[in-house]
Each structure stands twice: as structure tokens, then as C-alpha cells.
Amino acid sequence: MSKKIFITTAIDYTNDVIHIGHAYEKILADVFARFQRNLLGNDNIHYTTGTDEHGTTSQKAAEKNNVSCMDLVTKIYKEDKEQIDSLNISYDRFIRTTDEDHKKQALDFFKKVFDNGDIYKAKYEGYYCEGCEAHKTLSELNEKGQCPNHPTREIQKLDEENYFFRWSKYTRFLKDLIIGNTLVVLPEGKRKEMVAFLDNGLKDITVSRPKYKVSWGITTPIDENQVIYVWFDALINYLTEGIEKGFWDKDTEIIHFVGKDIARWHALLWPAMLKSAGYKVPDLIYIHGFINLNGQKISKSLGNVIRPTELVSQFGVDAVRYYLLKYGPIVEDSDISLDNFISIYNGELANGLGNTVSRIAKLASISEFDFAEYSDPQNVWEKINKKDIDEFRIDKILSQIWKNLSELDHHINEHQPWGIKDQEKLKDILSYEVHEVRKIASAIKPIMPDIYVKISKAFFSGKIQVSDILFPRISG
Ligand code: MSP
């Protein structure tokens, strides 16, 4: 039986509907899951995503909109799900932190850590960014005293009783874990950042907030005047589903996909929490960068938020998946724009993939030959470097396939099948080209599942059909 793999993305705050930046990670994890299922024959994959619904950001958004917290988060959850579904994301569970099974798991987990002596009561005096839902030191704020990630939000000054987690106790454990690669942190630059953070020393961290300040949360099992801190609550979502479905054990490879702003929570806090409660720690954390739009951070206050559905209705789902995966922030931040998308769409999709496939379909469909039947994934590894999947470099995989496509286009121009009279020679040339299209279709199946279906309908039987237009040209 193939190895169990548990794949997760961050769960999104429900103060507002997600934008294309949030969606990027869902696509990345989806493609990894589909590579496993479609090309590596591993059906033992479980993929979760969801919404992080408690805490101050959701509570304040509800107050602002004059609705109850539950009504607001349910509305945003539904809209988020619609956004994610528009991108054809093959998750197995969309988890909400307001789900009953999760609340139960969070309480049980908190109690375990408390019983192990790792939670104690103390006073917190300092800063808090509601956008990050995180306590901040002065050195983490900019010269204007703002959080660099949320400069439009006012920093809160807190002076309150909280329960704290003995995070500092786990410094050595975390160092060994990351330096020894028991927990793999990728890419390498991010791993170094995590180690450097540990070298600076960990301070114990708040894991509850008083109810008179934040009422929207799970009441702690040890004090009814406190709610579980939203990060402590949210991280446990992975375990909730993992345990229920048998994907949180030593036989499972646990992989978290997260953005760079929340790397520490996943690489440093989460493993310490798990260790304290007596659970297996994750195996791998992949940390991606940020998408910027026209050189600016995507943000509501700048008025440049784009939702996935807007792009999908203009370009089609697979074009959006392609563009974000090829030009998105797989390692470093990346800048995208609508103009750039249109030019990539016309150049690499309408022309590159669409035109090459349709030229070959036309030539082969008018020929008298039957071509050998094809069922994937035959020979797909000629097109893809397996190492790129292991390193999550979908961008490199796409570059390689598009290089192949241009070679194929070149092959057609060089051999000019339309002018060949010798039937044997013609069959050789067309068979080669048809088979190349088939292999390319199999290779892009995890990345562009709908386009794969269209190409396979036209190309996978012995008689080649003229294919639908894959990507109608878009005028700028
Ligand atoms: N709720 C927490 C995560 C809890 S996970 C147990 C959170 N939510 S978030 O809505 O702010 O962000 C969700 C994910 O989207 C994070 O991985 C974050 O890095 C990612 N992104 C948010 N904006 C982004 C871009 N502009 N570009 C790429 N990813 C971005 O943090």
C-alpha cells in the first residue's frame, strides 16, 4: 500500500473573503495532491483547507457589520468556499474552527498541555496586532509604531491576565528537530530564518485571552473567563481532521503549506505544542512568498483586491492555475498584473499550448491512420523531473513542459506534414507528434485538470478528433 500523505494549507481568517493571494497556496497544495494521485498512483492522500473563524479580527468585523459573529463567519465561510471551489481545489475536508469536532479537539488538546504542566497563568503587558492576531515586541513594529504587515490597523496595547505556554522549554527540541531535518523546512532560506529565530531565544507565549476583551472563541477548559488564543485554536485544526481520518500517525507524511508571514507558527510553535500534548510532529513545512499586484501589496485599503472568481470568469480556471503557479511566489515574492496575465495567456496558452495542440489535432484527424491507443501515465517522466515535484517546484515543471511544446511546434514547421506524400513517412511523423501531445497532456493533468480532459477526449483514442479551442484569444 502506498504511503499515507496528509496535506494541509493555512485556514483563512473570516473577517473578509479571500483574495488571489490566499488562493495561491490552495492551488499549490492541490497540484501536489494531484501529482501524487494522478501520476504517482498514490490514492492515500488526504488534503484539508478551511477557515479560521474565532478571534478579534472576526469579532470586530461582525461588530462593524452589525451582525452576530456566527452569522458573519458563516457568510464568509460560504463565500471563501465558493472562491476555492472556483479553482477546482481537490480538498477532502473544508474545516471550520467553529465545527463541533474541532472545538472538542481544541479543548482536549489544551487540557493535555495543561496537565503536562506546560500552561501557567501570568500577566501580559505589551503590543498586539489584530491583523496578525499576534503579540508584538517593539522591535517588530516599524518606526511609526505600526505592524509592517498591517500598517493601516492600530496596534493594541494590552495589559491583561493570560495563560501562557512554556514555549521556551522546547527551544532545544525545536533546534534538533529542524537542524536534524526531522522536520524539513523548505525552501532552505526559510529554514535558516527559523534557526536564527531560535538562536535569539524563545519567550513563553500567551495561549488565552480574557473574555471581557475577546468573547468570540472557545472557552478554555480550565478557566471559564478566558478563551483559547486564536492561533492555539487554529493550529489544532490539522490534528482534528488528521486524527479523525487516520492521517496523524507515524506512518503518515504530514505536509503543511503556508505563507512566509506565518512560518514561525508552523515551524516553531506547532511542533512544540504537539510535543507537549504527546503527538507526532509534522514532517515538512513548505513556505511560499507573497503575491503583489502591480508592484503593491494586495490590500483592501489600497483597493486592489482581486478575487479568484473574477479571474476565473475572465480567463478560465486552468489559465488562472497556470499563471499563478508559473509566475507566483513559489520561493520569493512575485509581482503579477492583469496586463501581464493577458500577454502570458495569449502567448503561452492560446498560442503555445492551444495552437500547437490544435495544429496537430487537425493534421492527424484528416489522416487515414489509426494511432495506437493511449492511456496515461505512459512515459510521462520524460516530461517531468520527479525531483521538481519533491521540491514543490511546479514553476520548473511548467517551464520544462513549455520548452517541449515549443520543440514540438518546431518539429511541425520543420517536417511540414501537410506536404508529405509518402504515407509511411507521414504516419511516422504524425505518430510522433500525436504521442508527444498525449504525454504533455498527462504531464499537465495535475496542473490543468480541465484542459487535460479536453485534450484526452481528442487524442487518447486511435482516431484523433479535432479538439475544442482550448484558450480563445483575449484582447488586451
Ligand atoms: N488564519 C491564519 C492561518 C492559520 S493556519 C492554522 C492566517 N490567515 S490569513 O487569512 O491571514 O492567511 C492565510 C494564508 O494566506 C497564509 O498562508 C498567508 O501567508 C497567505 N496569504 C495571504 N496573503 C497573501 C499574498 N498576498 N500572497 C500569498 N499568500 C498570502 O494567517
Side-chain angles (χ1 to χ4, degrees):
M1 199 158 93
S2 38
K3 189 175 171 118
K4 289 191 285 182
I5 306 183
F6 187 48
I7 300 169
T8 74
T9 70
I11 52 174
D12 304 305
Y13 289 129
T14 41
N15 59 322
D16 200 0
V17 183
I18 57 164
H19 56 61
I20 49 169
H22 304 103
Y24 173 71
E25 174 179 307
K26 285 40 171 186
I27 305 175
L28 188 60
D30 178 63
V31 168
F32 183 73
R34 287 176 188 265
F35 264 114
Q36 297 293 332
R37 296 189 190 115
N38 298 340
L39 299 185
L40 293 159
N42 187 352
D43 275 326
N44 241 339
I45 304 290
H46 201 73
Y47 171 15
T48 71
T49 188
T51 36
D52 184 357
E53 305 188 355
H54 293 126
T56 43
T57 89
S58 292
Q59 185 177 327
K60 289 216 166 158
E63 283 162 8
K64 204 170 139 203
N65 286 288
N66 243 327
V67 292
S68 73
C69 290
M70 197 61 202
D71 282 354
L72 176 90
V73 299
T74 301
K75 176 176 175 282
I76 304 285
Y77 145 74
K78 285 185 184 150
E79 292 182 41
D80 276 4
K81 195 160 166 299
E82 234 173 77
Q83 293 297 331
I84 288 175
D85 288 342
S86 78
L87 291 164
N88 211 349
I89 306 296
S90 62
Y91 57 82
D92 296 288
R93 165 124 187 228
F94 194 106
I95 191 166
R96 305 176 63 185
T97 50
T98 51
D99 287 341
E100 286 308 318
D101 60 342
H102 170 72
K103 288 200 271 184
K104 203 162 155 281
Q105 182 58 247
L107 287 171
D108 183 67
F109 192 99
F110 194 99
K111 188 74 178 26
K112 280 199 167 102
V113 178
F114 178 74
D115 289 345
N116 286 345
D118 280 343
I119 287 180
Y120 63 94
K121 200 167 191 180
K123 198 168 175 191
Y124 175 78
E125 234 188 301
Y127 300 97
Y128 190 83
C129 168
E130 290 178 342
C132 299
E133 290 280 20
H135 303 81
K136 300 274 168 181
T137 58
L138 251 190
S139 64
E140 287 171 310
L141 305 181
N142 66 19
E143 63 289 350
K144 291 188 191 143
Q146 304 155 328
C147 165
N149 289 332
H150 301 96
T152 55
R153 284 194 182 242
E154 201 187 321
I155 278 286
Q156 306 295 304
K157 187 116 197 351
L158 302 185
D159 181 357
E160 60 189 35
E161 288 260 285
N162 293 155
Y163 286 92
F164 281 73
F165 170 60
R166 291 187 203 285
W167 196 11
S168 56
K169 176 177 147 188
Y170 291 93
T171 310
R172 185 74 258 160
F173 164 75
L174 291 165
K175 257 193 199 164
D176 291 347
L177 196 70
I178 295 176
I179 291 172
N181 269 329
T182 308
L183 168 59
V184 177
V185 179
L186 286 174
E188 174 59 18
K190 294 288 186 279
R191 189 182 83 102
K192 286 198 180 120
E193 266 177 40
M194 294 303 114
V195 175
F197 191 79
L198 284 173
D199 284 340
N200 282 334
L202 290 178
K203 285 213 181 78
D204 291 352
I205 185 173
T206 285
V207 290
S208 76
R209 298 283 318 270
K211 268 195 187 163
Y212 70 89
K213 292 272 191 67
V214 190
S215 55
W216 182 234
I218 304 172
T219 304
T220 66
I222 54 167
D223 182 341
E224 62 176 27
N225 295 315
Q226 299 261 333
V227 296
I228 301 179
Y229 170 47
V230 64
W231 264 104
F232 199 83
D233 163 1
L235 286 162
I236 298 168
N237 92 84
Y238 305 131
L239 191 73
T240 304
E241 178 67 0
I243 286 194
E244 267 173 43
K245 297 293 169 8
F247 280 86
W248 204 283
D249 54 30
K250 63 173 179 24
D251 302 324
T252 306
E253 185 177 1
I254 300 169
I255 304 179
H256 297 308
F257 287 90
V258 297
K260 63 176 188 178
D261 56 330
I262 60 169
R264 274 180 214 171
W265 301 107
H266 285 81
L268 305 179
L269 178 62
W270 180 223
M273 284 168 58
L274 286 162
K275 176 75 180 161
S276 170
Y279 291 104
K280 173 193 156 92
V281 299
D283 297 281
L284 197 150
I285 297 179
Y286 189 87
I287 301 162
H288 62 79
F290 263 44
I291 294 183
N292 295 321
L293 192 60
N294 299 311
Q296 286 179 314
K297 186 176 184 293
I298 306 176
S299 103
K300 248 199 327 194
S301 52
L302 291 169
N304 65 348
V305 170
I306 299 187
R307 313 255 181 245
T309 44
E310 294 168 37
L311 289 184
V312 168
S313 60
Q314 189 179 350
F315 296 93
V317 54
D318 282 349
V320 177
R321 291 168 64 101
Y322 174 86
Y323 181 58
L324 293 183
L325 287 167
K326 180 117 180 259
Y327 297 99
I330 190 76
V331 177
E332 303 296 341
D333 292 357
S334 77
D335 192 42
I336 63 169
S337 74
L338 271 187
D339 286 346
N340 180 246
F341 192 177
I342 291 172
S343 104
I344 297 293
Y345 175 97
N346 285 331
E348 295 178 22
L349 296 174
N351 204 20
L353 178 60
N355 193 34
T356 308
V357 168
S358 99
R359 286 179 85 188
I360 296 172
K362 257 186 225 137
L363 290 164
S365 64
I366 52 165
S367 88
E368 296 296 320
F369 318 121
D370 274 346
F371 296 88
E373 298 266 335
Y374 174 87
S375 69
D376 58 355
Q378 283 172 28
N379 309 326
V380 74
W381 300 110
E382 287 170 25
K383 304 288 166 211
I384 297 175
N385 190 347
K386 165 98 179 24
K387 186 166 165 276
D388 290 336
I389 301 179
D390 296 338
E391 292 174 358
F392 309 97
R393 295 306 301 266
I394 315 294
D395 56 332
K396 286 192 182 170
I397 293 175
L398 285 170
S399 298
Q400 175 60 38
I401 296 172
W402 258 251
K403 190 167 154 265
N404 272 209
L405 271 169
S406 77
E407 285 159 6
L408 187 54
D409 201 46
H410 189 72
H411 188 270
I412 310 172
N413 294 342
E414 189 180 279
H415 291 88
Q416 307 194 346
W418 51 88
I420 298 178
K421 296 279 176 303
D422 176 340
Q423 291 299 290
E424 198 114 325
K425 194 170 163 207
L426 179 62
K427 182 162 191 191
D428 274 358
I429 286 170
L430 287 178
S431 293
Y432 168 81
E433 290 170 354
V434 162
H435 206 53
E436 283 296 292
V437 170
R438 291 164 161 178
K439 284 186 275 184
I440 287 170
S442 299
I444 61 170
K445 183 179 183 183
I447 302 168
M448 307 171 99
D450 286 358
I451 292 297
Y452 162 81
V453 170
K454 286 190 181 160
I455 301 180
S456 63
K457 269 193 197 142
F459 273 85
F460 282 17
S461 64
K463 207 82 208 126
I464 308 300
Q465 318 287 319
V466 179
S467 63
D468 296 342
I469 293 180
L470 298 181
F471 300 97
R473 286 188 78 81
I474 291 180
S475 45

